[in-house]
Amino acid sequence: MGGAVVDEGPTGVKAPDGGWGWAVLFGCFVITGFSYAFPKAVSVFFKELMREFGIGYSDTAWISSILLAMLYGTGLGLALNFQPSLIMLNRYFNKRRPMANGLAAAGSPVFLCALSPLGQLLQDRYGWRGGFLILGGLLLNCCVCAALMRPLVAPQPGGAPGPQRPARRLLDLSVFRDRGFVIYAAAASIMVLGLFVPPVFVVSYAKDLGVPDTQAAFLLTILGFIDIFARPTAGFITGLKKVRPYSVYLFSFAMFFNGFTDLTGSTASDYGGLVVFCIFFGISYGMVGALQFEVLMAIVGTHKFSSAIGLVLLLEAVAVLVGPPSGGKLLDATHVYKYVFILAGTEVLTSSLVLLLGNFFCIRKGPEAPQPEEAASEAERLHKPPTEVRVDTREVEHFLKAEPEKNGEVVHTPETSV
């Protein structure tokens, strides 16, 4: 989608919307790629794990669920990379934030395109144990990306860095007073129940249809390739001046589109049908990935974003622990993939309706808050010292000559003073 660390930065720092922010964006791109693609890419090992340990689909689904839950709710593992990088990205970008979020989110499909066939290749050559070991070594590249994260420092008029703002509480629970945040958190938690189910099971679905392992793993590459273009495009469209105020409704549409794709994908009965499903799922999944954090920041604002995303991902961690394993349980009981996709689609469709109807009926929009640049200009105007009043010397001389005495004292004119 957490970060629990509040990092509002020094007072008066304006988001550069560029500069070193592009390096931060690149680091966030790589970290997001590993964080989201790795839990999905390991699904290529599921068949081998089932054969070696004699387990069912619900048992192997716990692997992806635990990885995603660690990413979302614990603040450990991949979350140590992902959450701080996302907060830093939103500190460096304001006007270009939708585009920046879309580009960073594109790391997920780019790495999914690479890690999925690479995982299959590593399994064929080194087995699942060797494959996990090599993929784990690749994850160490996130340490290099972490070195790109620099805190913004407010300069003083003399050129020295300004004082840092005192640290605040770890989590600001006051965000629960915001009805928009509560509705968003509820909708996102329901969405996560079914959002990750199709990518986890689509490779196993193809293998059960008799598709060769390499072609089955290629389905995730197709999904990721479409996702690469969907995320930046959705971010660019959301950043348009006429579209950005309606980003919540666009996010609701993306969720509806994703759920509808799951329902139609349940009718696929051959490899071609799964390819078509992956194409449309990649579009809708990319839209969801590009909009989710932008919409959350639009709801709670910059100051509460760190706490809000931490609390949302904590709630989603519970849901993601339930989603894929419940789909696996259903598959073990029925041995029909159609029901798994229908369940996932129904959950995502429900989440879109919760967000749409909740935002439409329960949230009354107040006056629009000023943009940071406007607020800074207003603050400068209020704190600006009064303008010096300039008076003509001839007027002063005339005044002094006209009133030679005041309170019984002689006030010398310029002539007598000389």
Side-chain angles (χ1 to χ4, degrees):
M1 274 190 189
V5 180
V6 177
D7 182 20
E8 290 182 334
T11 306
V13 179
K14 181 181 177 182
D17 276 308
W20 189 254
W22 298 116
V24 175
L25 174 59
F26 173 77
C28 192
F29 172 87
V30 176
I31 290 173
T32 302
F34 277 118
S35 300
Y36 273 113
F38 185 78
K40 304 182 189 73
V42 296
S43 63
V44 300
F45 299 102
F46 284 0
K47 280 291 184 179
E48 184 68 22
L49 292 173
M50 292 170 64
R51 281 194 293 265
E52 181 163 340
F53 295 103
I55 55 179
Y57 291 100
S58 61
D59 298 313
T60 54
W62 276 104
I63 299 174
S64 295
S65 293
I66 292 174
L67 284 171
L68 290 170
M70 291 286 289
L71 173 64
Y72 282 165
T74 66
L76 302 174
L78 293 172
L80 292 172
N81 297 318
F82 174 65
Q83 299 168 8
S85 69
L86 186 64
I87 295 172
M88 288 295 295
L89 181 68
N90 285 279
R91 287 280 313 283
Y92 270 86
F93 290 91
N94 180 37
K95 291 182 179 180
R96 297 176 176 174
R97 193 178 67 231
M99 181 192 68
N101 279 324
L103 291 174
S108 174
V110 169
F111 278 70
L112 183 61
C113 287
L115 293 181
S116 179
L118 177 62
Q120 186 64 55
L121 179 64
L122 293 175
Q123 176 184 284
D124 295 340
R125 176 163 296 189
Y126 304 108
W128 68 268
R129 288 183 174 86
F132 268 103
L133 182 63
I134 295 174
L135 290 177
L138 292 176
L139 286 174
L140 292 175
N141 287 284
C142 293
C143 298
V144 180
C145 299
L148 299 175
M149 306 299 169
R150 293 180 182 176
L152 292 173
V153 179
Q156 284 186 337
Q164 294 291 327
R165 179 174 295 178
R168 296 180 56 190
R169 290 177 299 173
L170 187 64
L171 284 178
D172 186 2
L173 298 179
S174 65
V175 293
F176 282 107
R177 300 173 187 170
D178 188 337
R179 286 181 295 178
F181 171 76
V182 174
I183 293 171
Y184 177 93
S189 299
I190 299 172
M191 176 189 69
V192 170
L193 287 172
L195 182 65
F196 300 113
V197 171
V200 169
F201 288 103
V202 68
V203 175
S204 298
Y205 187 10
K207 291 180 179 180
D208 276 4
L209 292 176
V211 177
D213 291 351
T214 304
Q215 287 185 331
F218 190 69
L219 288 172
L220 290 180
T221 303
I222 296 173
L223 189 157
F225 181 77
I226 300 299
D227 197 357
I228 290 173
F229 300 98
R231 296 197 184 214
T233 302
F236 175 77
I237 294 174
T238 307
L240 297 177
K241 185 179 296 184
K242 294 184 179 180
V243 179
R244 196 169 185 180
Y246 304 99
S247 58
V248 176
Y249 298 105
L250 185 60
F251 183 44
S252 178
F253 168 76
M255 295 160 68
F256 183 88
F257 184 20
N258 185 268
F260 182 77
T261 301
D262 291 344
L263 295 179
T264 55
S266 65
T267 61
S269 57
D270 54 17
Y271 185 73
L274 290 178
V275 169
V276 174
F277 163 75
C278 287
I279 292 174
F280 284 96
F281 186 87
I283 297 173
S284 60
Y285 188 77
M287 293 174 64
V288 171
L291 294 173
Q292 54 187 353
F293 298 120
E294 171 63 27
V295 170
L296 178 60
M297 177 166 283
I299 291 174
V300 302
T302 305
H303 295 296
K304 295 185 178 181
F305 177 70
S306 300
S307 294
I309 191 174
L311 292 169
V312 165
L313 297 185
L314 182 62
L315 297 173
E316 290 182 350
V318 179
V320 80
L321 278 174
V322 176
S326 63
K329 281 287 186 183
L330 180 62
L331 185 58
D332 288 337
T334 62
H335 299 284
V336 179
Y337 282 91
K338 176 180 179 179
Y339 300 143
V340 177
F341 282 68
I342 291 176
L343 175 63
T346 302
E347 291 165 343
V348 179
L349 280 176
T350 302
S351 67
S352 71
L353 295 178
V354 169
L355 182 63
L356 176 64
L357 299 179
N359 187 76
F360 188 78
F361 291 108
C362 300
I363 301 178
R364 300 176 183 272
K365 291 192 177 292
E368 184 177 359
Q371 293 294 326
E373 294 81 359
E374 299 175 359
S377 302
E378 182 67 14
E380 290 178 4
R381 186 184 68 80
L382 293 175
H383 292 85
K384 188 176 181 180
T387 306
E388 182 182 358
V389 180
R390 299 183 179 276
V391 183
D392 194 349
T393 56
R394 287 176 296 181
E395 294 180 4
V396 176
E397 181 179 350
H398 176 75
F399 175 78
L400 294 175
K401 287 182 178 181
E403 297 186 7
E405 295 183 1
K406 185 175 184 181
N407 298 327
E409 297 181 2
V410 176
V411 182
H412 297 284
T413 65
E415 289 86 349
T416 58
S417 297
V418 173

